[in-house]
């Protein structure tokens, strides 16, 4: 028996689930496939900074995890060992907050509770796939049983791609070590982005804690993972400086960092969204926010333009500026800031100073962080 569906989404991460929810009231039959049970997402250690624009997309879907988010009211940007700093303040944009920090698991939980149970095939993996004139035929293995499906549109939302000739890769030779720490005094809803020669260090307010993204070269990340708690807080303190005292570090995890950019977003009846389309460096928290816009815009395309390959190709063309903008923005920051070259340190200091003294420049950067390319020009 082959089950026919209009849209099959592979990957029930936050981007795949958002797409399924955005399509839920439309005319199409939609299935989500994940190789793990949804409950496995409770083990993801990441905290995500969501922009105000992300809130505007998630709220109408009933998937805004209001009780689990911590607002960011100001963002302090500086560099270690150099002058210049900039402060972005929510009050300048008449917004309740510049963004919000939430644990991946709480966001995934808020999305999952809105999904109809029958829409998700858990513990299921694609074994075979054939693309034809009318769509894509797939054989899945679910809990050891084979299952056949035919989809008019196949959406890839399975996260960061493995080796693939159609995905360009820039390895940053940096790893993100993440953990939660208690700040003294409290965080006052301020986030910090501190650039160091090793890589950016981000502190995101989360509940009473700071969620830390401590970026380091791989060998230093090895050593930092192996430190005891006192050693870890000392290393963090050395990188950040003395303005805030850190204590009580929670469990640590690490993620190797690279830019992965898929050349073609759409190919016949298939289309790619979220990390499967582009995986960015976490600096300035762009990845999920961009993936969310992928999902939202794809849903609008499918609902308004139908399921034919031409609609997918048009969607791919419309997403170009936003995704390339996100990739260039994060890549440019990482490369300009992750070094200790004195002329560049001077230029960075002048840049941060200009950002602070020149409101139009600051607003230009802030608006793109809040709304992405929707704020263009
Ligand atoms: C340290 C760190 C910090 C970050 N901070 C931020 C931040 O502050 N703000 C922000 O916007 N972004 C941030 N990001 C990026 C963000 O985590 C990702 O962009 C986001 O999780 C992508 O969601 P996704 O649904 O596309 O993929 P994923 O979250 O990876 O989900 C993919 C899903 O697909 C499933 N899957 C995988 N392969 C298959 C398969 N073959 N078959 C079936 N299912 C499959 C997986 O089980 C998973 O459920 C950060 C990333 C890192 C590493």
């Amino acid at each position: 028996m082959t089950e026919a569906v209009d849209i099959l989404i592979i990957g029930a991460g936050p981007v795949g689930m958002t797409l399924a929810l955005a399509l839920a009231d439309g005319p199409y039959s939609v299935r989500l496939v994940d190789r793990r049970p949804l409950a496995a997402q409770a083990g993801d250690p990441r905290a995500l900074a969501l922009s105000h624009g992300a809130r505007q997309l998630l709220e109408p879907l009933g998937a805004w995890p209001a009780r689990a988010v911590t607002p960011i009211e100001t963002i302090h940007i500086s560099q270690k060992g150099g002058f210049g700093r900039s402060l972005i303040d929510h009050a300048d944009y008449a917004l309740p907050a510049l963004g919000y920090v939430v644990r991946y698991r709480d966001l995934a939980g808020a999305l999952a509770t809105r999904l109809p149970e029958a829409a998700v095939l858990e513990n299921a993996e694609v074994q075979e796939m054939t693309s034809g004139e009318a769509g894509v035929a797939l054989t899945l293995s679910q809990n050891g049983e084979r299952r056949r499906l035919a989809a008019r549109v196949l959406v890839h939302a399975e996260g960061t791609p493995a080796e693939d000739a159609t995905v360009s890769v820039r390895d940053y030779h940096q790893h993100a070590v993440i953990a939660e720490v208690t700040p003294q005094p409290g965080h006052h809803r301020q986030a910090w982005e501190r650039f160091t020669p090793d890589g950016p260090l981000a502190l995101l307010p989360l509940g009473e804690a700071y969620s830390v993204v401590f970026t380091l070269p791989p060998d230093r990340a090895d050593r930092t993972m192996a430190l005891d708690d006192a050693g870890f807080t000392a290393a963090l303190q050395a990188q950040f400086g003395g303005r805030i005292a850190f204590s009580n570090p929670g469990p640590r995890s690490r993620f190797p960092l690279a830019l992965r950019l898929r050349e073609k977003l759409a190919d016949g009846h298939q289309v790619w969204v979220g990390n499967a389309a582009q995986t960015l460096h976490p600096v300035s928290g762009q990845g999920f926010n961009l993936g969310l816009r992928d999902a939202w815009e794809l849903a609008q395309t499918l609902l308004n333009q139908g399921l034919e390959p031409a609609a997918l190709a048009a969607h791919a063309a419309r997403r170009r500026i936003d995704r390339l903008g996100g990739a260039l923005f994060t890549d440019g920051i990482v490369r300009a800031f992750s070094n200790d070259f004195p002329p560049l340190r001077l230029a960075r200091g002048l840049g941060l100073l200009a950002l602070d003294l020149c409101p139009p420049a600051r607003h230009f950067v802030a608006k793109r962080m809040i709304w992405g390319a929707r704020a263009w020009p």
Side-chain angles (χ1 to χ4, degrees):
M1 283 283 286
T2 298
E3 183 190 356
V5 295
D6 292 318
I7 301 165
L8 185 70
I9 305 167
I10 307 179
V15 172
M17 286 195 282
T18 300
L19 176 62
L21 276 182
L23 292 165
D25 293 334
Y28 304 125
S29 53
V30 179
R31 289 279 180 287
L32 259 170
V33 170
D34 204 289
R35 66 177 171 199
R36 303 181 301 169
L38 289 189
Q41 293 175 346
D44 196 294
R46 276 171 284 186
L48 303 176
L50 307 184
S51 65
H52 181 75
R55 177 180 177 170
Q56 290 175 317
L57 296 184
L58 288 168
E59 257 176 353
L61 301 177
W64 178 245
R67 285 205 218 124
V69 301
T70 304
I72 301 174
E73 293 181 351
T74 51
I75 305 175
H76 187 288
I77 310 168
S78 62
Q79 60 171 336
K80 186 183 178 196
F83 72 98
R85 76 100 167 104
S86 188
L87 193 69
I88 301 179
D89 192 327
H90 73 113
D92 291 340
Y93 307 95
L95 293 175
L98 290 166
Y100 302 84
V101 186
V102 65
R103 292 188 178 91
Y104 182 106
R105 61 170 187 254
D106 290 330
L107 173 66
L111 289 159
T113 52
R114 301 288 301 169
L115 288 172
E117 214 173 291
V120 190
L121 306 177
E122 300 175 79
N123 292 316
E125 204 152 3
V126 178
Q127 302 285 296
E128 289 161 26
M129 196 171 77
T130 338
S131 202
E133 291 256 315
V136 182
L138 300 107
T139 306
L140 302 181
S141 158
Q142 187 183 25
N143 299 321
E145 287 186 12
R146 281 162 75 84
R147 196 168 169 154
R148 273 192 252 281
L149 283 107
R152 292 174 65 194
V153 170
L154 179 65
V155 183
H156 292 271
E158 60 273 80
T160 303
E163 289 295 300
D164 183 332
T166 63
V167 176
S168 67
V169 182
R170 181 193 295 282
D171 187 342
Y172 289 116
H173 304 290
Q174 293 181 353
H175 286 202
V177 174
I178 63 169
E180 290 179 21
V181 296
T182 304
Q184 189 60 252
H187 55 59
H188 308 295
R189 298 180 169 182
Q190 176 155 298
W192 297 75
E193 188 81 71
R194 184 146 175 84
F195 294 103
T196 83
D198 291 330
L201 168 65
L203 302 181
L204 303 172
L206 180 61
E208 299 298 311
Y210 263 130
S211 165
V212 177
V213 184
F214 191 174
T215 314
L216 293 160
D219 57 334
R220 298 257 326 270
D222 287 342
R223 293 202 291 277
T224 304
M225 287 297 289
L227 291 168
D228 63 13
D229 284 356
F232 176 72
T233 33
L236 181 61
Q237 207 76 67
Q239 201 76 324
F240 180 77
R243 272 187 276 195
I244 298 173
F246 304 113
S247 59
N248 300 326
R252 275 164 251 162
S253 310
R254 74 190 291 178
F255 294 81
L257 304 178
L259 169 64
R260 289 190 157 78
L261 209 51
R262 184 169 294 279
E263 281 163 24
K264 278 178 80 177
L265 262 201
D267 187 5
H269 299 277
Q270 301 181 59
V271 59
W272 283 261
V273 291
N275 269 30
Q278 64 276 318
T279 300
L280 310 183
H281 192 291
V283 67
S284 76
Q286 299 287 302
F288 173 69
N289 292 294
L290 186 55
L292 187 61
R293 297 195 292 272
D294 283 347
W296 187 82
E297 285 197 22
L298 179 59
Q300 304 316 305
T301 300
L302 297 172
L303 291 171
N304 297 322
Q305 289 179 246
L307 305 179
E308 294 307 316
L312 303 184
H315 161 78
R318 277 195 295 275
R319 292 299 301 143
R320 199 178 141 74
I321 291 181
D322 197 13
R323 64 191 296 260
L324 290 185
L328 286 174
F329 182 65
T330 51
D331 187 60
I333 295 179
V334 174
R335 296 210 285 155
F337 281 88
S338 302
N339 63 71
D340 208 11
F341 186 47
L344 268 184
R345 198 186 320 139
L346 178 69
R348 290 192 299 253
L350 292 172
L352 287 172
L353 210 59
L355 212 57
D356 207 49
L357 296 176
C358 174
R362 196 168 62 250
H363 297 341
F364 182 86
V365 172
K367 284 182 179 171
R368 260 130 221 96
M369 286 177 70
I370 296 168
W371 289 291
R374 283 198 290 153
W376 197 265

